[in-house]
Amino acid sequence: MDFDRALFLAELDALPWASYSHAYGSAEDVPGFLRALAGDDDAAAEEAQSELYGSILHQGSVYEASAKAVPFLARIAAAGIRTPDVLLLIGGIAEGGVDPGGRAPEESDEVACRRAVAEQLPLLLASVGHQDRAVRQAAAWAVGATGATAAGPAAPVLHDRAAVESDPLVRAELLAAMAKSDPEGTAPAATGALGPDSPPELRIAAVLACADSGLPWTRAHHEAVLALLPLDPLVADRFDLSRNEPLHHLTLTLLERNTEADLEAVLTLLDAALRSDDPEARVEAVWAATTACELSRSAPARLAPALISVAVDDGPDDVSGALSALGRLGAWGAPAADALAVRAAGEGDAADQALEALVAVDPVRAAPLLARDPERRPRALGAACGGSVGSLPVVPYDPELLVAARRLLATTESGTTTSFRLAALLTAWGRDAATAVPELLSALPAHPRLLPEVLVAVCPPEQRAEVAEALRARAGPARWTTGSRRPARSTN
């Protein structure tokens, strides 16, 4: 269509952009970006596009100015000016929004953005039949991003276009958009595209569409996924970032259904994928299996043999990431203890990961190995001391590790992660760590806030007077007792 630049600029400048907001405050800079995006200077247009992604679509978030910019973006796209890129920006704004009537209030920026893009649906639907395949693909994705807001008018157009589209990627994008706008009506098309006669890009899109539409998982889905592995390359040129790791997405989708049948389906799928001959497929499977082990109590027992096999086959390089996954298996990873111990005796990050996993599956065996070189095993040390904030240490008392902890405490700076980890470990060991009192007293000036409670926890009866005096000296007018974990403040 003809682009009346003068009218475009006049209407652009007529809006009070300075009163609108985006990610960085006032949106007074947005008209300049839109002007450059519609201009003839390619370098300036590219920079403007980057600035718009940073301001009106910042990491997927949308703002008041985002909705206000949509009509102008649509006019730029309709004029054939950088159409695929501009359609993707419009679709991103729709994706960052929400449908009216949802949890967000009607007046929210998210609702305004979704509605603003839905108002441009005639342009988007017309573009799914564009002669340029890049435009068709971008338009199909943008239509899908409008969600239920555009479901009524979009569904028949998408179905009609899908019936004549020849490009595999565009067909995949159309099928995904159909599943979002008309899940029930899309089921026959998605099921029909599962077979080996479909292009791989369309076939995996069909699997995802079936899962997203809530269809029961069948043998056909299972066989399609295994035949297509690895899956990530098949969606590398798609625009749907939430499904850019298909096996992981399918794992989450099936687990979220929370049924015995779907749990069995996903564990059977992951077990088979972990045993794939393709190294890239195993990388995808390990990541998905790790997530399954975190979310499902049944997963570690079921997936342990295959994960252990992958870790052993990887050798010292841990190409699949299976070493980290073994740490999610708990006691079910015990058969891997021998292999992990051998690997943990090596050097570098892989050895640290192996020891970290051994801490999880056999902490008693891991303790003396960690004692040899805790400074160079930060991941394993973190796991031994509880890992995340609030977690309790998992390694039982070990005399060799206590010696290493005492040595490390003397050289660790105050306020570091290591100092907090050591404090947690020694506190958990209690009186078993009593021989660390001299080091704790020596380190007290460097760790005045961290070590008092540790000293109270580990202090034996015969050293109470010495420890109490040291704590009183550090606390000034406060009185400390070793009968509790807290200082007793003077009331005088």
Side-chain angles (χ1 to χ4, degrees):
M1 62 175 287
D2 293 333
F3 184 56
D4 189 332
R5 189 176 300 274
L7 179 61
F8 173 86
L9 296 177
E11 293 182 356
L12 182 64
D13 293 336
L15 292 183
W17 290 98
S19 68
Y20 305 145
S21 61
H22 60 39
Y24 299 106
S26 171
E28 60 185 353
D29 51 0
V30 169
F33 298 148
L34 292 171
R35 188 179 291 108
L37 187 64
D40 298 326
D41 187 329
D42 289 340
E46 185 174 343
E47 182 178 355
Q49 178 178 305
S50 177
E51 293 289 348
L52 288 169
Y53 269 103
S55 57
I56 66 173
L57 186 56
H58 182 73
Q59 297 180 354
S61 297
V62 293
Y63 309 87
E64 182 183 17
S66 312
K68 301 297 184 182
V70 167
F72 296 98
L73 291 169
R75 289 166 70 175
I76 294 171
I81 302 172
R82 303 174 183 89
T83 301
D85 290 337
V86 178
L87 289 177
L88 290 177
L89 180 54
I90 293 172
I93 293 173
E95 189 176 44
V98 296
D99 291 331
R103 287 181 296 176
E106 284 290 323
E107 66 273 13
S108 72
D109 293 338
E110 290 79 9
V111 168
C113 285
R114 182 67 63 85
R115 184 182 288 115
V117 176
E119 290 173 357
Q120 303 303 323
L121 202 59
L123 164 68
L124 299 178
L125 292 176
S127 297
V128 300
H130 197 279
Q131 61 182 2
D132 186 334
R133 63 152 304 279
V135 173
R136 297 198 304 276
Q137 185 183 353
W141 177 77
V143 171
T146 60
T149 304
V157 176
L158 293 173
H159 280 271
D160 289 346
R161 182 63 210 178
V164 298
E165 178 60 55
S166 60
D167 185 275
L169 276 176
V170 179
R171 291 175 67 188
E173 217 73 73
L174 286 165
L175 187 59
M178 290 159 57
K180 293 176 183 177
S181 62
D182 181 23
E184 186 175 340
T186 303
T191 302
L194 288 173
D197 292 338
S198 295
E201 297 88 350
L202 178 61
R203 200 176 179 194
I204 189 56
V207 174
L208 293 170
C210 288
D212 291 341
S213 299
L215 294 178
W217 188 261
T218 68
R219 187 68 186 176
H221 300 120
H222 177 89
E223 292 176 350
V225 170
L226 295 183
L228 293 169
L229 286 171
L231 306 182
D232 290 0
L234 301 179
V235 298
D237 294 323
R238 297 275 306 281
F239 302 128
D240 188 351
L241 296 181
S242 65
R243 293 166 181 77
N244 64 348
E245 295 174 317
L247 188 59
H248 190 261
H249 177 76
L250 290 169
T251 298
L252 290 175
T253 301
L254 294 176
L255 288 177
E256 286 171 359
R257 293 184 183 182
N258 198 27
T259 70
E260 288 297 325
D262 288 306
L263 175 61
E264 175 62 24
V266 74
L267 296 182
T268 299
L269 177 65
L270 291 177
D271 184 79
L274 287 167
R275 300 178 190 280
S276 171
D277 293 332
D278 190 301
E280 291 184 20
R282 292 196 296 272
V283 171
E284 294 179 14
V286 166
W287 165 227
T290 301
T291 298
C293 289
E294 292 173 346
L295 298 178
S296 167
R297 288 178 294 179
S298 303
R302 182 68 172 277
L303 300 178
L307 279 170
I308 292 171
S309 177
V310 172
V312 171
D313 290 345
D314 274 352
D317 295 331
D318 188 34
V319 292
S320 72
L323 281 179
S324 295
L326 294 185
R328 307 298 196 278
L329 298 178
W332 294 107
D338 288 343
L340 289 172
V342 171
R343 195 81 56 83
E347 298 293 333
D349 189 56
D352 190 14
Q353 290 183 54
L355 187 53
E356 178 187 29
L358 187 60
V359 165
V361 304
D362 192 345
V364 173
R365 186 168 183 178
L369 293 174
L370 178 58
R372 297 177 186 175
D373 199 3
E375 298 92 338
R376 300 176 65 181
R377 299 290 186 264
R379 295 175 60 141
L381 180 62
C385 297
S388 60
V389 175
S391 299
L392 295 176
V394 297
V395 171
Y397 167 72
D398 179 85
E400 295 179 51
L401 186 53
L402 176 59
V403 171
R406 292 167 61 186
R407 182 188 73 247
L408 194 55
L409 185 63
T411 59
T412 300
E413 295 182 3
S414 175
T416 63
T417 301
T418 299
S419 64
F420 284 100
R421 288 171 171 172
L422 292 173
L425 186 63
L426 294 177
T427 301
W429 285 350
R431 297 289 168 79
D432 285 334
T435 56
V437 168
E439 285 79 16
L440 289 168
L441 289 173
S442 297
L444 185 59
H447 307 274
R449 295 182 179 273
L450 182 64
L451 295 189
E453 289 193 13
V454 184
L455 276 162
V456 170
V458 308
C459 181
E462 63 270 19
Q463 290 184 284
R464 285 178 180 174
E466 177 188 3
V467 169
E469 181 60 32
L471 293 177
R472 276 195 294 270
R474 294 302 306 170
R479 291 207 316 268
W480 297 79
T481 71
T482 55
S484 68
R485 297 279 183 92
R486 295 183 178 275
R489 295 289 180 183
S490 172
T491 58
N492 296 333

